[in-house]
Amino acid sequence: MGSTPQHDVDPTLAYPEPPASPLWHRQGPKPRPITPEQQRRNCELLLRAQYTPRPRSPRTTETLAEAS
């Protein structure tokens, strides 16, 4: 074996981070801010989407005992 001491080093840290894609950099005018009314509506729609129960599959009318 070599005489180099082994270190607990994460090999992913040995390489530099790749440069960011040019698609990450926005070009052109900045988006216009939304109005407080739009913010409120977006918040309401988000809350409704998060807490609306999902439709369940319809159950058959026969019981488990009748099915077997």
Side-chain angles (χ1 to χ4, degrees), residues 11 20 25 29 37 39 42 48 58 65:
H25 301 292
E37 175 62 29
Q39 287 178 342
N42 286 349
R48 186 178 304 157

Side-chain angles (χ1 to χ4, degrees), residues 9-17:
V9 176
D10 186 355
T12 58
L13 299 178
Y15 301 98
E17 187 174 329

Side-chain angles (χ1 to χ4, degrees), residues 27-66:
Q27 295 169 353
K30 294 196 178 214
R32 68 174 189 264
I34 62 175
T35 65
E37 175 62 29
Q38 289 171 317
Q39 287 178 342
R40 189 179 60 76
R41 175 152 171 75
N42 286 349
C43 186
E44 288 175 2
L45 292 174
L46 178 62
L47 290 174
R48 186 178 304 157
Q50 287 175 335
Y51 296 112
T52 300
R54 300 281 180 249
R56 299 198 314 190
S57 59
R59 296 183 126 192
T60 59
T61 54
E62 63 184 35
T63 63
L64 288 175
E66 293 170 346

Side-chain angles (χ1 to χ4, degrees), residues 1-26:
M1 294 261 186
S3 61
T4 308
Q6 293 292 326
H7 296 290
D8 293 329
V9 176
D10 186 355
T12 58
L13 299 178
Y15 301 98
E17 187 174 329
S21 163
L23 298 176
W24 281 78
H25 301 292
R26 207 182 163 91

